[in-house]
Each structure stands twice: as C-alpha cells, then as structure tokens.
Amino acid sequence: MAKKNEGGGFSQSAGLMRYFDSEDTDKALKITPKGVVIAAVSIIVAVLLLQVFVPMN
C-alpha cells in the first residue's frame, strides 16, 4: 500500500507560510480597511498633484 502523505502540502514544501501560521501576530502591523482606502486615495491624489506641478515633459 502507498504511504499516506503526512506533510503540509505544497505551501510547506515550497517554504511558504500562511499569515496565521506566524508566531509574530501580535507584532504585526494592523491596518483597518478604512486606512487602506485612505492610503490608496492619498497616493492617487499625490501622483495627480505631482503630474500637475512637476510635469515630466
């Protein structure tokens, strides 16, 4: 009979780790969804303002 695979699958064999497997979850940076949206909008506005005030042409 074939041996049953006891390994963790592809992610373990490839050296990848799921985020909840990490032991440092209390030290991880936690960002709310609202913070992500605010950061994205801020970056978009900054890029648009740079294109207006510092043209690359």
Side-chain angles (χ1 to χ4, degrees), residues 12-27:
Q12 186 178 27
S13 65
L16 301 174
M17 182 183 300
R18 293 183 288 233
Y19 71 94
F20 52 83
D21 288 341
S22 177
E23 296 175 359
D24 297 329
T25 54
D26 57 336
K27 298 178 186 175

Side-chain angles (χ1 to χ4, degrees), residues 35-55:
V36 173
V37 171
I38 290 171
V41 170
S42 300
I43 291 171
I44 291 169
V45 169
V47 168
L48 292 174
L49 287 175
L50 281 172
Q51 287 179 348
V52 169
F53 293 113
V54 186

